[in-house]
Amino acid sequence: MAEQHEKALVPQIRFAGFTDPWEQRKLEDYVVVSTAKNVDGRFNKEDVLSVSGEYGIVNQIAFQGRSFAGSSVLNYGIVNTGDIVYTKSPLNSNPYGIIKVNKGIPGIVSTLYAVYRPQDNVHTNFIQVYFEQHERMNNYMHPLVNKGAKNDMKVTAENALKGVVTFPSREEQVIISEFFDRLDSLITLHQRKYDKLCVLKKTMLDKMFPKGGSLYPEIRFAGFTDPWEQRKLEDYVVVSTAKNVDGRFNKEDVLSVSGEYGIVNQIAFQGRSFAGSSVLNYGIVNTGDIVYTKSPLNSNPYGIIKVNKGIPGIVSTLYAVYRPQDNVHTNFIQVYFEQHERMNNYMHPLVNKGAKNDMKVTAENALKGVVTFPSREEQVIISEFFDRLDSLITLHQRKLELLRNIKKSMLDKMFV
C-alpha cells in the first residue's frame, strides 16, 4: 500500500534527476499570512495593485485605467515582491478566486485580498504555477470557502491555508517554475507579435483606402498615382442565381460565414449542420464568389461580406451570393469591406432592419451603394499585401494556441 501511495505522489512527466515522491502537507507549512499594513502611508492610490487571471499582479491604474481605492489606503495590505495574493472573489472560470505572485515592484491591495509571505521551503513562483490550473485551484478552495450572498468568499486569510497541497522538493519547484516562466515568455512574445500585427492591419485598412470623399488614399504602393473611381458596387459584382436544384451538394457542403475566419464549412467550424430538411434551394458558392450574410455579427450591425477562398459549397437563402466581374479582383472586395466602419457606412442607407434585427434588403439592392475602387492592378497589389498580413496573423495565432495547449497539458501532467 505504501508503494502504491508513493507512486500516486509522482507526476506523469518529470525533469531528469528527480525521483523522490512529492509530499502532501498543508499550505500553511509553506506560506504564512502577512500582516504588514500601509499604516505609515508610504504607499498611495497610485501604488494600488489588482490581480488579473491572465497578467498576474499589476498596477491598478495602469491595468484598469483608474484607481478604485477608497478615500484612505492606510488599512491596505502591503505586497512586497515575491509575496502571494489570494483574490477571495470569483474570476472567470475560477469561482473560488485566484492565487498569484507579485513579480513586479511592491504595492498595496485592498482588505478584500489575502496576502502571504513564502517560507524558505517553497519557491514563491511555484505557488502561482501550482494553482494556475483552474481545476486544482477550485478543488483546493472548495472545502474551505463559504460563498456569501454577493458571491464573495467567506474565508479568512488563515483558513485559506488549511487545505492540503502536494509539493516536490524546493529544488524541483525551482526547475518547474523556470520551465513555466520560459513558456509564459514565449506566449507573451507571440501575443505581442499577434497584437502588433492586428493593430497594423487595422491601421492599413484605414490609411490605404480613401476617406472623407477623397479619391486618394493616405498610403499607397509606388507606381500608382491615378485617382480611385466612385461607382456603384453593381458595376463590379453581379447576383449569382445558381441554386443547388440538382442536389450535387448536400448538408456536408453547407458553408458558414465567420467574421474572423471568412467562409468556412459549417460542420467543421460549428460542429454540426444547421441546414433544413432539404438543401435544394440553397445558393451555390463557387471559389471566388462573394457572400453577404444579411444578419448582424459582432461589431457589424449590417452583416459582413466575405470571399470564398476555399472549395465550392452552398449557403442558406438567408445569404446573398455574388459573382465578381472582370474589372474587380475578388479578394479586394473582402478587404474593402473588412473595416467595420466602411461596411456599416455602405450598408446603412440600403438596409431596413426587421423586428428580429434581420436585414430587410434584397441581394440586388445591397449592390446599389457607392464604393471607391482603384484600378484592378492596384486592387491586386493591395489584396496581396493583406493576404500576407493575414497569413502572419494566422501564424502567430496558431503558435499562441499551440503554446497555450502545451501549457494546459503540462499544468496537468507535471503535477501530482
Side-chain angles (χ1 to χ4, degrees), residues 21-313:
W22 289 24
E23 192 175 3
Q24 287 182 329
R25 294 170 70 175
K26 288 190 175 181
L27 187 55
E28 64 186 356
D29 293 333
Y30 295 99
V31 302
V32 294
V33 176
S34 171
T35 56
K37 299 291 181 184
N38 188 40
V39 289
D40 60 0
R42 80 180 82 163
F43 296 102
N44 56 39
K45 290 184 181 182
E46 284 70 41
D47 303 307
V48 174
L49 304 173
S50 284
V51 182
S52 156
E54 185 175 358
Y55 300 103
I57 296 177
V58 290
N59 179 277
Q60 189 175 83
I61 295 175
F63 184 65
Q64 295 178 282
R66 69 181 184 91
S67 171
F68 294 86
S71 56
S72 172
V73 292
L74 295 180
N75 65 333
Y76 276 36
I78 293 174
V79 184
N80 289 306
T81 305
D83 281 354
I84 299 135
V85 179
Y86 169 43
T87 60
K88 295 168 67 175
S89 59
L91 190 66
N92 298 332
S93 50
N94 292 96
Y96 298 100
I98 58 176
I99 288 174
K100 295 290 180 180
V101 169
N102 183 22
K103 298 180 181 182
I105 62 174
I108 50 175
V109 290
S110 154
T111 53
L112 296 173
Y113 296 85
V115 184
Y116 304 105
R117 195 172 64 250
Q119 300 283 71
D120 291 339
N121 61 345
V122 72
H123 182 62
T124 187
N125 287 0
F126 182 80
I127 300 285
Q128 176 169 312
V129 173
Y130 184 86
F131 286 110
E132 207 157 338
Q133 189 194 55
H134 302 322
E135 185 182 6
R136 189 153 44 241
M137 176 66 186
N138 297 339
N139 287 344
Y140 173 86
M141 283 294 175
H142 176 69
L144 307 174
V145 169
N146 290 314
K147 286 196 175 185
K150 294 182 179 178
N151 208 28
D152 55 331
M153 305 298 153
K154 301 297 183 185
V155 59
T156 64
E158 290 80 9
N159 282 349
L161 302 179
K162 299 296 183 185
V164 173
V165 292
T166 309
F167 283 7
S169 66
R170 193 181 188 285
E171 292 73 22
E172 192 169 359
Q173 292 173 28
V174 170
I175 299 294
I176 292 170
S177 302
E178 288 174 348
F179 168 78
F180 281 98
D181 281 344
R182 289 193 296 270
L183 200 50
D184 284 337
S185 294
L186 278 173
I187 290 170
T188 301
L189 174 68
H190 286 290
Q191 182 69 61
R192 284 176 181 162
K193 286 182 178 178
Y194 172 78
D195 291 342
K196 282 181 180 178
L197 287 166
C198 288
V199 169
L200 175 63
K201 181 177 179 181
K202 186 178 179 182
T203 302
M204 291 300 104
L205 282 172
D206 180 57
K207 294 183 182 294
M208 290 179 70
F209 294 81
K211 51 183 180 288
S214 172
L215 298 181
Y216 297 90
E218 187 177 336
I219 294 176
R220 205 165 189 184
F221 285 101
F224 296 101
T225 57
D226 291 342
W228 290 28
E229 191 174 4
Q230 287 185 329
R231 296 171 68 176
K232 287 190 176 181
L233 187 56
E234 65 187 356
D235 292 333
Y236 294 100
V237 302
V238 295
V239 176
S240 172
T241 56
K243 299 291 181 183
N244 187 38
V245 288
D246 59 1
R248 81 181 82 162
F249 296 102
N250 55 38
K251 290 184 181 181
E252 284 69 39
D253 303 307
V254 173
L255 304 173
S256 284
V257 181
S258 156
E260 185 177 359
Y261 301 103
I263 297 176
V264 290
N265 180 278
Q266 189 176 82
I267 295 174
F269 184 66
Q270 295 177 280
R272 70 183 184 91
S273 171
F274 294 87
S277 56
S278 171
V279 292
L280 295 180
N281 66 331
Y282 274 37
I284 293 174
V285 183
N286 290 306
T287 304
D289 280 354
I290 299 135
V291 179
Y292 170 43
T293 60
K294 295 168 63 177
S295 60
L297 189 66
N298 300 331
S299 51
N300 291 93
Y302 297 99
I304 57 175
I305 288 174
K306 295 290 181 181
V307 170
N308 183 23
K309 299 180 180 182
I311 61 173

